Structures are given as structure tokens and as C-alpha cells.
Amino acid sequence: MPNIPASSRPDGDPRYTLASLLAPPQLVRLAAIGAVVGAVAASFAWTGGFFSPDRLDQTRMIDAFEAANGPHPGFRRNHAKGVCLEGYFDSNGAGARLSKAEVFQPGRVPVFGRFALAGGLPMIPDGPTIVRSMALNFSLPDGEAWRTGMNDIPVFPLRTPQAFYDQLVAAKPDPKTGRPDPQLLAAFQAAYPETVRATAVIRAHGFSSGFANATYNGLDAFLFTSAAGTTTPVRWSMEPVDAFAPAAAAPTADRNYLFDALIARVHDAPAKWHLILTVGQPGDPTDDATQPWPPERERIDAGVLSVTRIVAEGDGNCRDINFDPLVLPDGIAPSDDPLLSARSAAYSTSFTRREGETKIPSAIQTARRP
Amino acid sequence: MTRHFSLLSRLLHWLMAILILAMLFIGVAMVSSLSDYHRLVSIHKPLGILILILVAIRLVNRLFNPAPSLPAGMPAALRFTAHASHWLLYALMFALPLVGWGMLSAAGYPIVLIGLLHLPPILPHDAGLYAALRPLHTVLAFVLFATFLAHLGAALMHAVVFRDGVFQSMTR
């Protein structure tokens, strides 16, 4: 058929009629068009993982948290029990040697964040060996932010997202006994020897007696880029000014004794931590948070974090913030640690789910205190 | 009477076609990938703002350089569908980046484009707003992809079935 501009034809051009479309040569062309459109649609579905429902993605990861802990609408799927913190960070300028990020220039930046207990149970009683966490948002000029989530353990027990998922499945309480299946746990430990090694390091390290005298470690490695363009692997920690005291063997009768002690401590005077940057050397693992770096690595004290106020979770405060570890300022970039992108993805899914759910008051309330 | 789109219109059309298709594939990939999530989100945000800037330029261009008229013999129902689908595409090209920007604002995220380049929030930090806008972003993206498929199918119909010069109006 010649390619004649249709505008030169009279109204009721026959080429648009159904009868002409159903002529055999046109049917072949229509089928070809259908195949092209179908192929594009199928590649889109494939890219979105619609054909691989068993692949571990953020949806399955957060589903595993919900399956392990039960439904707790409105709360974080992990680190569910927590309280908001407010304060500031006084940089001494020492970190600027490693990173051009504004936060390391000398001066003060406002900080907010959250103290929490690891795990997906928002009403769990405080306990001496539950991992404690500190999440922070440094509010930098021009809308920039640095967010970090740190734990009071020296290494992370899991190296990959798959290990994290497999542990959630293995440690899920058996509905009959209320305890994890020992066979599943043994199989998990056999599959992930690095977790067994890291757990031994964590046990040997021990826990402190409270939130205010705990060291919080970023655990994952990041890449710092200086103003001169030099890139250095770094792990960071918040080391307390309050002296370490070992955790009591058993919890007290107060279900919230750790949080209540923190609230009282900060009410008396700001609680403080030094931001310690540990400088990695070539060969130090940046893709394996289960491995400690050698203890002799250079440590730079970049400044002091002061926590001046503890506030219950509520509308628009730390409750409604995703402490995504990849919200980073210019001058800090992710390393090749596979946990980082996975944390960012899974936190986002957890955040989206909980923000759409009806909220109930958190376990830790501060309103009655002056 | 003009038979084809202006050079600027054709440039904007094909550039945005590539960017939007890439954007849709990046979007659907990143929400189902743990390992590539961060890499893809880091492209998704600045690319979305680039598309928002381009569609604003394109709308102004469209007002100054109108589209060539459709073939006189085209039935009224097809003409209506063609016009409606084009305005739907324009609406979605504006809506998706704006909803994306709005939902990041409502979530309290810093809106990073590249390096130190940041955008201000366009909505207050509000859990309910985020909870409404985040799924809306997904729904609109699927509507855009479906509209794109219809647009692709229709373009190929004009090219090889109707052979009425409409496809060529955008290719030369």
C-alpha cells in the first residue's frame, strides 16, 4: 500500500475501517505490533521482578520481619521500641582532613535522632542484652542531611541481606513451642560461619549498663572524600563521655528501666559522645561488617555530640523520619558493603508501610516529666 | 499546512521518550532490588527533575509550535483518542515528578540531586501526606507505562497499518 497522506483523501477514508484492518496482510502487521508492545510490557514486568517472586527483595525482607514479630501497625519493623532525642554536634574540624562534608568543618550543627532497642517488638520489656541503637540526623546547611543508624555492638552479626533474611526465618518462634526451632538455628549457623564468629566477638565485648554510657558503632564502612579529592574508607562510632559500667545480669521490675534511666540522665545534664572516625587501611574489609578492623587503626576524634532532650515519639518528630543510612552529605559515600543498599531499601519499605498505618502511643512516654 | 512536527518538537519528543522509558524501568527495578536500590534511586531523583524541566519547556514549545493536524479522513473517535492520550501524557509527565518531589518532602528527606545540589521541600513533613502520595506515585507510574504502551502501539499502527503520514510527522 503506498504511503499517501490521508489528508488528501476524502472523509471516511477506508484504511481506518474495521474491514480493511481484518484483511490478511494487515492482520500480520497488527500481530507484529502486538508482539512489539507485548515484548516491552514483558521486559518491564521482568525488570520489576514480577516473574521471580522468590527473589529476596525489600518486600520479602519486611514481610519476614512481620512474620517473625507479628503485626505491630504504626511501628518500625525493626528497632520498634524507641524514643526521640534532640541535641547538637560540635565539630572540632579534625574530620575535615578525611571528608569535605560540611559537618566536619569547625562549628555546631543541630541534631535530632532516636534511641531504640533492636527487634521488631514495640512493647518489649527492656533487657540487659538487647542491642541498643542510636539513630541520628545531622541537619546541615542548604537542606543537606547526614543520617546514620548505629548499634552498641562491635561488629554486625550478618554479612549479607540473604544472611539477615535467613536468620529472621530461622529464629522465628515455632507456634507450638514459642521458641525458635533448634534444628533451623543449627542449620543457619552451619551456613553462616561468619555469624558465629561475629556473635562470639559481640558476647566477649559485653553490654554497658545503660543508653548513656554505651558506644554506638556505625559498623558498615563508608568512603570519605576530602576537599583534595582523596578517598579513604572509614568506620565511625559514638563513644560516650559517661564511664562504661557493665550491664546488670537481670532487668529490674520497671519494664522501661533503660529508657527511664536515659530520660533521667539527660534531664540532669546533656549526655555526650565523641564522634570517632576510624581510618581504614588497604586490605581492611569494607564489604564485611562482621569483621572488626585491626585495633591499631588511626582514630580521629571529630567532635562532641550533646543530647540535650529526650521526647516521646509523636507526629512529625523522629517517629516520622526514616533514618536511611544512605542519606549522606557530599563528602561521604557508601562503600561496597552489601548491607548498605539493602538497609536503605528495606527501611524505605518499612517507612512506607508504617506511615500509612494508624498510630498508637509508643511504650516510652516523656510528657509527665518536666 | 504543516505535515510534521518542528525540529525542536521532535528533539524534545525523542529525548523525553528515552528518558521516560529509562525512568519507568529504573523505577520498577529499584523498588524490587536490594543490591541496586541505592544506585538506581540516585539516578531516579535527578532524572525526574530533568524530565520536569523538559516537559515544562515542551509545553511552552507546543503552544508556539502546534502539532500538525491529523489526517482529514481519520474517524472522530480515533482523533479524540489521539488528542486525549496526548494530553494525558502531558499531565502524567508533570504529575509524576511533582508527586515524587512532594512525597520526598512529606517524608522529611533531603532532596538530593547531585553533589551539593539540593531542592527545597514543596510540602510540609507529614506522615499522612506521604502515605497518600507514595502509593499515588506508583499508580501514576503504571498509568504512564500503560499510556506509553498504547502510544507505542498507535504510532506503529500509523506507521505500518494506516500508513497515513502521522508516524512520519514525528520521524522527519
Side-chain angles (χ1 to χ4, degrees):
Chain A
M1 197 195 292
N3 193 11
I4 301 165
S7 52
S8 65
R9 293 196 175 201
D11 277 5
D13 192 321
R15 73 179 92 190
Y16 298 110
T17 62
L18 191 60
S20 71
L21 288 181
L22 295 178
Q26 294 291 56
L27 280 180
V28 172
R29 295 188 182 101
L30 286 174
I33 292 170
V36 169
V37 172
V40 176
S43 58
F44 185 74
W46 179 83
T47 306
F50 296 11
F51 300 140
S52 41
D54 293 337
R55 190 175 69 184
L56 178 57
D57 64 7
Q58 41 271 62
T59 303
R60 283 190 81 208
M61 184 69 94
I62 296 303
D63 286 348
F65 274 100
E66 293 177 0
N69 298 306
H72 299 285
F75 290 96
R76 282 168 163 78
R77 273 32 175 185
N78 196 7
H79 296 254
K81 183 183 186 183
V83 72
C84 297
L85 70 88
E86 292 171 13
Y88 47 83
F89 174 67
D90 289 309
S91 168
N92 57 24
R97 201 190 91 202
L98 297 176
S99 170
K100 62 185 173 183
E102 281 278 337
V103 67
F104 298 118
Q105 294 299 317
R108 176 172 289 187
V109 295
V111 171
F112 66 85
R114 187 169 176 271
F115 286 106
L117 296 182
L121 300 171
M123 302 297 164
I124 191 175
D126 293 357
T129 59
I130 303 174
V131 173
R132 279 160 253 156
S133 63
M134 172 195 268
L136 298 176
N137 178 100
F138 298 75
S139 304
L140 307 178
D142 300 324
E144 227 190 355
W146 175 25
R147 291 184 185 168
T148 173
M150 297 168 287
N151 290 321
D152 71 336
I153 45 179
V155 290
F156 197 67
L158 304 152
R159 191 176 64 81
T160 62
Q162 188 67 50
F164 209 130
Y165 178 83
D166 289 348
Q167 194 217 28
L168 281 170
V169 173
K172 185 183 164 187
D174 186 314
K176 285 180 214 132
T177 62
R179 301 182 62 80
D181 181 336
Q183 280 187 319
L184 284 179
L185 276 182
F188 171 81
Q189 289 175 346
Y192 295 102
E194 74 272 18
T195 298
V196 178
R197 284 193 294 271
T199 307
V201 173
I202 293 167
R203 288 224 174 93
H205 179 264
F207 290 92
S208 76
S209 59
F211 275 102
N213 64 354
T215 296
Y216 299 93
N217 298 299
L219 303 173
D220 301 305
F222 291 80
L223 301 178
F224 280 35
T225 302
S226 70
T230 311
T231 295
T232 315
V234 168
R235 284 176 172 176
W236 60 70
S237 303
M238 284 291 180
E239 297 196 351
V241 170
D242 285 12
F244 177 88
T252 72
D254 173 4
R255 290 173 61 87
N256 304 323
Y257 75 100
L258 289 171
F259 284 100
D260 286 345
L262 170 71
I263 293 163
R265 167 67 188 78
V266 173
H267 186 253
D268 287 345
K272 297 188 179 196
W273 284 262
H274 289 272
L275 172 59
I276 304 296
L277 307 175
T278 302
V279 183
Q281 295 294 319
D284 290 346
T286 54
D287 61 350
D288 187 351
T290 67
Q291 288 194 51
W293 282 356
E296 64 272 18
R297 289 289 172 261
E298 184 190 3
R299 294 153 40 89
I300 296 174
D301 183 343
V304 174
L305 168 74
S306 298
V307 173
T308 56
R309 212 168 151 239
I310 301 291
V311 193
E313 292 185 299
D315 281 345
N317 66 14
C318 80
R319 188 196 70 185
D320 294 331
I321 288 289
N322 173 8
F323 291 97
D324 177 341
L326 293 185
V327 170
L328 297 170
D330 193 34
I332 305 180
S335 69
D336 54 353
D337 188 328
L339 291 175
L340 285 172
S341 181
R343 284 174 69 190
S344 189
Y347 285 28
S348 175
T349 298
S350 165
F351 180 69
T352 300
R353 288 191 190 179
R354 72 171 190 266
E355 291 302 82
E357 295 163 346
T358 306
K359 306 286 196 297
I360 61 165
S362 300
I364 309 305
Q365 293 298 321
T366 51
R368 274 165 295 165
R369 290 177 179 272
Chain B
M1 193 186 71
T2 50
R3 285 272 179 73
H4 50 82
F5 285 90
S6 70
L7 179 65
L8 180 59
S9 302
R10 280 175 282 152
L11 279 176
L12 283 167
H13 170 270
W14 289 107
L15 175 63
M16 290 191 72
I18 294 164
L19 295 181
I20 290 170
L21 198 56
M23 194 65 172
L24 287 165
F25 274 80
I26 289 170
V28 79
M30 74 191 198
V31 294
S32 62
S33 171
L34 291 172
S35 54
D36 295 324
Y37 175 79
H38 179 67
R39 218 186 329 267
L40 294 175
V41 169
S42 304
I43 302 169
H44 194 82
K45 290 179 197 172
L47 195 51
I49 295 302
L50 177 63
I51 289 171
L52 181 61
I53 293 166
L54 286 174
V55 73
I57 294 170
R58 191 168 172 187
L59 183 66
V60 173
N61 173 65
R62 173 89 184 218
L63 301 176
F64 284 101
N65 289 313
S69 45
L70 290 167
M74 224 172 120
L78 279 188
R79 307 171 76 87
F80 172 80
T81 309
H83 290 304
S85 66
H86 291 160
W87 288 113
L88 178 61
L89 282 169
Y90 267 92
L92 290 168
M93 287 188 287
F94 274 104
L96 269 156
L98 285 172
V99 169
W101 187 356
M103 82 191 196
L104 293 178
S105 307
Y109 289 114
I111 299 150
V112 182
L113 292 186
I114 191 159
L116 275 170
L117 189 59
H118 283 65
L119 290 178
I122 52 171
L123 287 174
H125 180 207
D126 184 287
L129 264 179
Y130 174 77
L133 291 174
R134 178 61 193 82
L136 179 64
H137 193 68
T138 301
V139 169
L140 290 179
F142 279 106
V143 173
L144 177 56
F145 185 67
T147 314
F148 158 74
L149 288 180
H151 182 78
L152 171 67
L156 294 175
M157 290 278 283
H158 285 290
V160 301
V161 175
F162 301 145
R163 301 193 179 199
D164 54 4
V166 169
F167 183 79
Q168 284 74 13
S169 70
M170 191 50 96
T171 55
R172 43 158 266 215

